[in-house]
Amino acid sequence: MNQFKKNKFAIFGLVVLGLFIFLAVFANVISPYNPESIVESETQPPSLKHWFGTDEIGRDILSRVFYGSRISLTVGFVAVVIAIIIGIVFGALSGYFGGFLDTVLMRFVDVMLAFPSIFLILTIQIMLSPNIYNVMIVIGLTSWMGVARLVRGEFLTQKERQYVEAAHAIGASNLRIIFRHILPNAIAPIVVAATLGMAGAILTESALSFLGLGVQPPTPSWGNMLMDAQAYMRDAPWIAIFPGLFILLSVLSLYFVGEGLRQVFNPKE
Amino acid sequence: MLLEVKNLKTHFYQEGLPVKAVDGISFGVGAGEVLGIVGESGSGKSTVGLSLLRLIDLPGKIVEGAINFEGIDLMQLPEKAMRNIRGAKISMIFQNPFTSLNPVFTVGDQIAETLRFHQGLSRRRSRDKTIEMLKMVHIKNPESRINSYPHQFSGGMQQRVMIAMALACNPKLLIADEPTTALDVTVQWEIIKLLRELKDNLDVSIILITHDFSVVAELCDKVAVMHNGKIVEDGNLNQVVQRPKDPYTQKLISTVPRIE
Ligand SMILES: Nc1ncnc2c1ncn2[C@@H]1O[C@H](COP(=O)(O)OP(=O)(O)OP(=O)(O)O)[C@@H](O)[C@H]1O
Ligand SMILES: [Mg+2]
């Protein structure tokens, strides 16, 4: 933990993340305006009344960015949880049992990786209706492969350790050994992967919403706010700057925290 | 006889050729008895221990033999029934207690888990029983030590924890595979003393696997000497130690500095 504290970037990341989570949780309390209602007759630059200005149809950008953080963080978090669960199941079974099962599962991972996932996501989103739940599920279903490989590698080394043999010797079943004995020993790299994965998921959600296939207006998400801002980049850049800044900061913070955790868990590097 | 092993053969297959790690051995262990299995490195001692619990994984296989335990042939049991034997009726401890313990759980959790899934004890009952077990192996302040992690114990204490875990469900047989080899000399004798005390106080038989005749002399009632997967000599402790017939046994005994 001291090592984490020494890492200024990680601390910065943690503070920013904490702030964003606070904004997301209390968006309804701290937002000065309703994010979906038109409060001015036109777009306005940042002012005391509207700190981040108003958008092309006169909605308060500050409030929209706050509510957007709720959407973006939730989507990122749920997508990562889905990816981690699938990745753990695939990786653990593969690494622990090895042999034919390992070959089959890992070939499936290769196939999934061979698809450019953004096309996969776009295709699925076009076929399904693009709503927030589908966004979470689709991102989760297309981003678990890295976790699976990581967990597999971790299980390959862990299963040779003597505590596993000792667990067999007290009568633990394979499933019990996988989930109760080995998995807790593999948590550290999984947490790192989850942190970095959440950054990726937030970016994917933004990209999807930017393309109109993600969170649907009028619900604000950072991505669809950017899409709306496109046409006004020259005359009203603040419409794009603030959601863009929040995407950047959140992704950067997650990377910093992830790297900080990685250093804590692997002090050798 | 609590345990009767007949013609046990366990082979490992490497590039098609079998390594006959255990090559047709037979022996028995009576209730309350301590059998020493002695032999050099590679003679197949650990493989015997693991075979008794049917813990041989590929590329190894038990190719032949019967393991009669309390009148049941373990070789005929389905895997699920075998799991109910491991840790509950037959326990095993290993050479290196530190690597045998799971680094991310407290020792209390590890012992209690065994109790919970074998005996279905509640959280509180398993905690009480864990403390009782730690007391039995002479760990001081067990009430607070249950919350310690394995790395917070010395090697000798870790082996005591392993012994407590192995005996928690009152097994009939304890297989101890080189339980003192990884420890400092003074600590080795403390562990041997503990095993002797447990043997006297509990209704448990012990198979003690070792390469060290002086350990055998301290603890065992009977000895079997292994060489290249076979038992070359067995019998009562005094008989084997004082009048060894087999030249291999004589060699092993002569390498021990001094047996009191
Ligand atoms: N998993 C395995 N794969 C291949 N060969 C094995 C395996 N385990 C044991 N063997 C072989 O079986 C033989 C007996 O090994 P075993 O570990 O039982 O000996 P041991 O008497 O316990 O030796 P030590 O005193 O070194 O622990 C050795 O020749 C060894 O190479
Ligand atoms: Mg051995």
Side-chain angles (χ1 to χ4, degrees):
Chain A
M1 271 306 113
N2 278 330
Q3 194 149 5
F4 192 90
K5 279 185 205 143
K6 271 187 253 151
N7 185 332
K8 297 265 175 5
F9 288 109
I11 294 300
F12 167 83
L14 209 58
V15 170
V16 173
L17 270 187
L19 179 70
F20 280 18
I21 292 171
F22 176 82
L23 295 182
V25 172
F26 296 105
N28 51 336
V29 184
I30 54 177
S31 295
Y33 299 94
N34 181 329
E36 291 177 23
S37 56
I38 297 167
V39 290
E40 299 293 340
S41 55
E42 51 176 7
T43 175
Q44 284 183 7
S47 65
L48 274 181
K49 193 170 172 213
H50 301 288
W51 291 4
F52 289 4
T54 60
D55 69 3
E56 70 283 359
I57 55 172
R59 294 173 296 194
D60 181 56
I61 293 179
L62 180 78
S63 306
R64 289 180 64 72
V65 167
F66 285 179
Y67 273 88
S69 56
R70 187 178 269 188
I71 300 290
S72 294
L73 293 186
T74 309
V75 170
F77 182 78
V78 174
V80 158
V81 168
I82 295 173
I84 293 283
I85 291 175
I86 303 176
I88 284 177
V89 170
F90 267 70
L93 296 180
S94 243
Y96 183 82
F97 289 109
F100 182 65
L101 183 67
D102 180 33
T103 311
V104 171
L105 295 181
M106 283 302 117
R107 283 307 77 78
F108 184 61
V109 167
D110 291 342
V111 169
M112 287 292 291
L113 282 170
F115 281 113
S117 65
I118 192 72
F119 287 122
L120 200 63
I121 296 175
L122 291 179
T123 316
I124 301 175
Q125 282 298 87
I126 289 167
M127 290 190 312
L128 306 174
S129 60
N131 63 42
I132 179 169
Y133 301 104
N134 286 338
V135 174
M136 298 175 188
I137 294 170
V138 162
I139 296 177
L141 289 180
T142 51
S143 60
W144 53 272
M145 292 81 78
V147 179
R149 286 189 165 172
L150 174 92
V151 172
R152 173 178 178 270
E154 206 53 40
F155 268 71
L156 280 178
T157 41
Q158 293 287 341
K159 77 169 175 184
E160 301 300 334
R161 307 259 303 261
Q162 177 121 43
Y163 75 83
V164 175
E165 186 161 55
H168 280 294
I170 57 167
S173 63
N174 285 325
L175 284 186
R176 194 175 189 95
I177 290 176
I178 290 176
F179 292 108
R180 293 286 300 261
H181 295 256
I182 301 184
L183 189 57
N185 281 279
I187 282 302
I190 294 174
V191 169
V192 174
T195 315
L196 302 178
M198 185 159 161
I202 288 176
L203 277 178
T204 310
E205 183 275 321
S206 300
L208 274 182
S209 301
F210 183 79
L211 295 171
L213 293 168
V215 178
Q216 296 300 300
T219 307
S221 90
W222 295 337
N224 69 22
M225 291 176 72
L226 273 184
M227 174 179 71
D228 293 342
Q230 274 182 95
Y232 311 92
M233 282 298 275
R234 185 166 309 165
D235 304 325
W238 58 87
I239 307 181
I241 285 174
F242 291 105
L245 194 66
F246 271 63
I247 295 174
L248 179 76
L249 280 176
S250 64
V251 170
L252 216 53
S253 303
L254 283 161
Y255 275 123
F256 288 162
V257 171
E259 282 303 320
L261 289 173
R262 196 202 296 281
Q263 275 176 15
V264 173
F265 294 143
N266 299 325
K268 281 151 282 168
E269 283 171 22
Chain B
M1 280 284 160
L2 176 73
L3 175 78
E4 252 187 308
V5 176
K6 285 202 200 89
N7 194 29
L8 181 68
K9 290 187 184 173
T10 304
H11 297 176
F12 292 93
Y13 294 89
Q14 281 167 338
E15 288 143 22
L17 289 175
V19 175
K20 300 181 177 177
V22 176
D23 193 15
I25 68 169
S26 304
F27 60 91
V29 183
E33 247 176 18
V34 181
L35 167 72
I37 298 185
V38 204
E40 285 174 319
S41 182
S43 55
K45 309 178 301 286
S46 296
T47 308
V48 173
L50 292 172
S51 298
L52 296 182
L53 282 173
R54 280 187 28 206
L55 286 177
I56 300 294
D57 277 331
L58 291 173
K61 190 174 187 311
I62 302 176
V63 292
E64 212 184 309
I67 304 169
N68 271 303
F69 176 76
E70 292 188 318
I72 312 165
D73 184 2
L74 299 186
M75 290 306 297
Q76 308 303 326
L77 284 186
E79 170 64 18
K80 189 154 185 295
M82 198 58 218
R83 281 205 301 272
N84 292 332
I85 301 248
R86 295 182 193 129
K89 302 232 161 188
I90 307 178
S91 288
M92 183 159 180
I93 60 173
F94 301 92
Q95 176 164 340
N96 190 330
F98 180 55
T99 56
S100 300
L101 289 161
N102 196 322
V104 301
F105 292 108
T106 63
V107 302
D109 279 346
Q110 298 188 50
I111 300 174
E113 198 214 346
T114 314
L115 285 162
R116 284 213 294 277
F117 87 75
H118 273 308
Q119 303 193 331
L121 295 192
S122 67
R123 219 156 254 284
R124 144 168 271 152
R125 294 264 316 276
S126 62
R127 184 177 178 276
D128 294 344
K129 176 87 193 196
T130 300
I131 290 172
E132 189 187 310
M133 293 311 296
L134 289 179
K135 267 189 196 138
M136 191 179 84
V137 297
H138 306 301
I139 286 181
K140 294 199 186 70
N141 305 321
E143 289 85 357
S144 62
R145 287 307 253 164
I146 54 169
N147 298 318
S148 303
Y149 287 88
H151 69 90
Q152 294 169 314
F153 285 80
S154 67
M157 287 298 155
Q158 287 162 357
Q159 197 59 293
R160 285 171 197 265
V161 169
M162 284 306 293
I163 294 171
M165 178 153 41
L167 296 179
C169 301
N170 306 318
K172 288 276 174 278
L173 177 64
L174 172 69
I175 304 170
D177 186 356
E178 307 261 12
T180 61
T181 309
L183 306 175
D184 293 341
V185 181
T186 47
V187 182
Q188 287 189 6
W189 293 109
E190 285 169 19
I191 295 294
I192 290 168
K193 225 173 76 190
L194 172 68
L195 285 173
R196 193 161 47 195
E197 178 191 321
L198 295 173
K199 160 202 160 181
D200 290 341
N201 297 341
L202 303 173
D203 174 28
V204 63
S205 305
I206 301 177
I207 294 180
L208 181 79
I209 295 173
T210 177
H211 62 274
D212 186 346
F213 249 107
S214 55
V215 173
V216 172
E218 282 297 320
L219 209 58
C220 299
D221 307 308
K222 297 195 307 185
V223 195
V225 181
M226 271 192 86
H227 184 47
N228 284 339
K230 294 195 164 69
I231 292 181
V232 293
E233 178 162 6
D234 61 353
N236 289 330
L237 176 72
N238 288 337
Q239 178 194 327
V240 173
V241 170
Q242 271 146 28
R243 288 179 303 280
K245 292 195 202 77
D246 190 87
Y248 178 75
T249 314
Q250 290 164 0
K251 195 185 108 205
L252 276 187
I253 292 177
S254 68
T255 57
V256 176
R258 176 103 218 112
I259 298 177
E260 284 107 304

